[in-house]
Amino acid sequence: MGEEAKRYAVVTGANKGIGFGICKKLASTGGVVVVLTARDEKRGLEAIERLKKEFGLSDDSLLFHQLDVTDPPSVASLAAFVKTRFGKLDILVNNAGVPGGVVNGENVLRRLSTSPRIVNVSSAMGVLKHIPNEWARGLFEDIDNLTNQKLGDVLREFLKDYKKGSLESKNWPIVVSGYTMSKAALNAYTRMLAKKFPNFRVNCVCPGFVKTDLNENTGFMSIDEGAESPVRLALLPDDSPSGQFYSVDEIIPF
Ligand code: NAP
C-alpha cells in the first residue's frame, strides 16, 4: 500500500486499559498506522513491546510517542511529530482518563484538528439527565450557541462549588461528580465540534463497563470487547452520522 493510502491514528492514554485494546485492534486493521501515546514513556514503550511480542504487530503499524494531555509542551511535541512524520492525521481517539476527572485532550484536538474521525471515549454517566444544575444543563443543551468559553464557565463554576463543599446546595452531581461533569462537558464539546466541522465524523462513545484499573477491575467486559465500539467509530465510512452519543453500538440521547 502506498504511503498516501495509509490512515494515521493517535490514541491517547494507551499504555493500558481500553486505549491499549484500541491500539491493538486499530493497528491490526490493514492500512492503519497507530501512534500509541502515554504520559509515561517507560509504560508506553512497555505497552508497545507487549503488542509486538504477544500480538505480532510491527513498526509498520505501531509507533510510540509521549503525550500527557494536560501538558501543552507535550501536546505541541506530538503535533510536530505527526506533522513531520505523516503530514496528516486521520483518526484521533481521545481516550485518556482518570477516575477523579477526565483529561480527554481538548488541547490535542486543537493542534491536530485536521483529523476527519474523532472518537471521544465518554461515559453514560455524563448524559444530561445526570446533571441536576439547570443552568449548566441549559448551556450544554444549547449546541447552536455553545462556545468553549461557556463550557469553561460551567466547569469553573462547578470547581468553585466543589472546593467550597457546596455541590449539593448548588445542584451539581454529588456522586463521582468530577467524572460526571467532565464527561458531560466532553459530550457537549463533541456535539459542538461536529456542528463546526461537518466534514468530520466526531462522535462520543461509552464503551460499556470494562474491567480496567479505572474501576478497580470490577467491570464485566474484557479490554478487547471494550475497544470494539471506539474502533468501529474510528473507522466509520464518510457518509456515517456525526455528533452522536453511542452507548456501545446504540445511539442514545445526550
Ligand atoms: P485505565 O485503564 O485507568 O486507563 C486510563 C489511561 O489514561 C491510562 O493509560 C492513563 O495513563 C491515561 N491517562 C491518565 N491521565 C493522563 C494524562 N494526563 N495524559 C495522558 N494519559 C493519561 O482506564 P480505562 O477504563 O481504560 O479508561 C479509558 C477511557 O474509557 C476513559 O476516558 C474512561 O473514562 C472511559 N470509560 C471507561 C469505562 C470502563 O468501564 N472502564 C466506562 C466508561 C468510560 P497512566 O497509566 O499513566 O495513569
Side-chain angles (χ1 to χ4, degrees):
M1 177 180 287
E3 289 298 309
E4 67 291 345
K6 284 188 180 163
R7 278 179 290 176
Y8 297 97
V10 163
V11 183
T12 69
N15 53 289
K16 65 177 182 178
I18 299 168
F20 180 86
I22 293 171
C23 287
K24 179 175 141 192
K25 210 169 163 61
L26 264 185
S28 310
T29 306
V32 180
V33 178
V34 178
V35 185
L36 179 156
T37 68
R39 59 180 161 180
D40 181 274
E41 181 158 350
K42 184 165 173 283
R43 288 197 287 270
L45 288 171
E46 281 168 3
I48 292 268
E49 276 316 298
R50 222 187 114 199
L51 285 169
K52 286 185 178 164
K53 259 199 199 121
E54 291 179 28
F55 306 105
L57 295 170
S58 72
D59 290 338
D60 293 341
S61 60
L62 190 67
L63 295 86
F64 173 72
H65 200 280
Q66 192 274 345
L67 173 68
D68 181 332
V69 298
T70 63
D71 177 30
S74 160
V75 175
S77 161
L78 174 71
F81 171 78
V82 169
K83 199 171 171 194
T84 315
R85 184 86 178 240
F86 312 131
K88 65 166 186 166
L89 186 71
D90 300 286
I91 297 166
L92 172 63
V93 184
N94 280 313
N95 164 81
V98 288
V102 174
V103 285
N104 283 284
E106 182 179 339
N107 291 332
V108 182
L109 215 53
R110 217 179 279 138
R111 303 258 178 174
L112 305 177
S113 60
T114 52
S115 165
R117 299 286 179 279
I118 297 168
V119 183
N120 293 325
V121 183
S122 188
S123 165
M125 289 170 89
V127 298
L128 290 168
K129 68 178 178 192
H130 297 313
I131 313 297
N133 185 301
E134 275 182 35
W135 166 73
R137 213 174 47 235
L139 287 188
F140 283 172
E141 262 168 342
D142 185 10
I143 293 303
D144 288 342
N145 296 303
L146 189 61
T147 57
N148 279 336
Q149 173 69 38
K150 288 182 184 174
L151 274 175
D153 288 347
V154 170
L155 294 177
R156 274 185 290 277
E157 193 64 20
F158 164 75
L159 269 178
K160 199 181 83 197
D161 291 337
Y162 183 91
K163 285 180 188 155
K164 283 200 301 202
S166 45
L167 287 185
E168 194 161 8
S169 63
K170 295 292 178 65
N171 271 331
W172 295 111
I174 48 172
V175 182
V176 282
S177 47
Y179 188 77
T180 303
M181 283 309 298
S182 65
K183 291 299 194 190
L186 177 69
N187 295 346
Y189 185 64
T190 302
R191 296 172 80 190
M192 199 177 94
L193 274 189
K195 194 168 158 18
K196 194 167 169 191
F197 300 105
N199 57 325
F200 286 22
R201 305 294 94 201
V202 191
N203 292 293
C204 48
V205 59
C206 178
F209 190 36
V210 184
K211 199 176 163 71
T212 66
D213 289 348
L214 189 90
N215 50 35
E216 293 167 359
N217 293 297
T218 55
F220 49 73
M221 289 165 74
S222 69
I223 282 170
D224 285 344
E225 288 167 334
E228 269 173 32
S229 47
V231 169
R232 190 181 62 77
L233 294 179
L235 299 173
L236 280 180
D238 286 344
D239 56 352
S240 307
S242 184
Q244 302 296 328
F245 191 120
Y246 289 82
S247 174
V248 188
D249 283 333
E250 186 195 348
I251 292 181
I252 61 165
F254 278 91

